[in-house]
Amino acid sequence: MSDGRLPVRRRWIGWTIGVLVSILLIAIGWVTIRGLGAVSDLQQVANGATQLKASIASGDLEEAERVSGSIARNAASADELTSDPVWQAFGAVPWLGPNFRAVSEIAEIAHDVSTDALTPLLDVAGGLDLAGLGVEGGTIDLAPFAEIEKPLGTASTALSAAELQAKRIDADATLPPLADAIGELRSAVTGAASVVGSLHGASVLLPTMLGGEGPRNYVLAMQNNAELRSSGGIIGSIALLHAENGTITLQRQASTRDFPPLDTALPLSESTIALFDDRPGRYLQNITAIPDFAEAGEIIAARWTGRFGGTVDGVIAVDAVVAEHLMKSTGDLAFGPFTATADTVTDILLSQIYAAVPDPAAQDAIFAQAAGGLFSAALSGGDPRALIGALATSADESRIRIWSAHPEEEAVLAASELGGTIPTDSDDATYVGVLMNDTTGGKMDYYTRASITTSVGTCQGAPTTQVRVTWTNTAPADAATSLPAYVTADGFYGVPAGTVRTLIAVYGPEGATPAHVDRDGEEEGVQTAMLGDRSVVQHEVSLAPGESTTITVEFEGTGAGARFTEVRHTPLIEAPDTARQPLNCAT
């Protein structure tokens, strides 16, 4: 006969379930409360980062220090809220776990950056005269660079570590809003790591490169993005700079007309010949088609010494958009029949000049005048803070490339964005690239636009990295008659006036091989080459005004697949839209 009570075993099970449910509810409440607090802290970190950038840009270091302290406190709070055992346990839960882990990792990154990077950066800023930066009468004081090298190195190391940690976060496994936040974090940390890394490299290299230990000579090659080459554009004008004890002077200017084609090409790598034959070794204008600037810089130096003699210690290549960034600091610039502002200089140099000045020789003279005027203004009349910002922005956009004839300096440059070398993959990230080279023979790339998407995953059981490039000719429908013949090339190279003909090369991760290649869903003949351990596929594309085409390349193998993928591309007048999308296997 029952007394109405459950058996001991069933009561024990019921109590156990009740306790577990209670613990679960408490844990959910715990992580909810802590999660809301962490999200609030991280939002304050994001807001503070915007304020900090504005404070530093305006030179208000007192406000920057106050904001930095607030960022550090909020980041530490978010890190503490998301690192306790209960939060970490939820990180192991299927489906929800990646979201908990991602928030925890974001908080940890924010804490590390605020502690290990912001403090030394503010120390550097506080120890420099930002109003003068040692620039006086065209001379740069080299002494401060020794003082800022160590704290910049500390900050650069911290940001590089944060960049790697951000790349390890599995954004694809998180909810869309969090995935977007991870993308923003990666972009911000990568940008900061690039800029601070470049500044650290500058602090190491500038004392010697600016002639602190003896005179130096550098060739400055100015690239025209209206006629694309791998590293930016065709070389339009060229000059020699002399650096001695921090004083930089413009020694000589020349045009491409001073460098007639060579009968015998200079030695080139196998990859360059496979993609472009021997043209970069014969024509000065085509040297910047070479994908690796370590090779291109050496050949530019050889062409200069072959024409004018002397010694070249390095080569600096900049594209036309750098002028736009610099003029935000230097102000308006008059050259030829033009007076340019920061908002109009790119349009003038890459488009208007061809209609206003039909004679190519006169164009060369105006380009040289513009380059000389901008150079003088930057050294003598620009706001140093704004100049540094302009150069940092240009470097971050890969619009400045530097090669040194001195091996120890070139090793530092090659490891940075400034070196323009083909990047090296790591366990955390892999690189793909898209290179554009014009074969129209005109200046039609003023009208071209691009978008690039990457996708990673598995196709037919194989790790796959997919790169998709959409290329568009936005020229007016009547371009054949409304644009100058110098712009369209007027059919001189076999391309109908108004049409754009482009070599588009796509390279994949190290060790991966092309498994599928198509253009607008159809297969066609392509060129192939190797850049080190990277496979390259190159299409030749012709587009009439208004036309667009999409190239898809899938790379498979051990180098492809799940790692975070970064895109390197030719700097265009308008930066291409880049995005990561879910993988839809073309195979």
Side-chain angles (χ1 to χ4, degrees), residues 420-444:
T421 56
I422 303 299
T424 301
D425 291 348
S426 69
D427 292 338
D428 302 293
T430 187
Y431 293 87
V432 297
V434 181
L435 308 174
M436 289 85 165
N437 284 272
D438 177 77
T439 59
T440 313
K443 299 295 183 286
M444 287 295 296

Side-chain angles (χ1 to χ4, degrees), residues 27-58:
I28 291 174
W30 176 266
V31 297
T32 299
I33 293 171
R34 294 175 76 85
L36 290 172
V39 169
S40 177
D41 285 331
L42 290 173
Q43 184 61 55
Q44 292 301 315
V45 169
N47 294 338
T50 301
Q51 296 172 22
L52 181 66
K53 186 175 181 180
S55 299
I56 293 176
S58 65

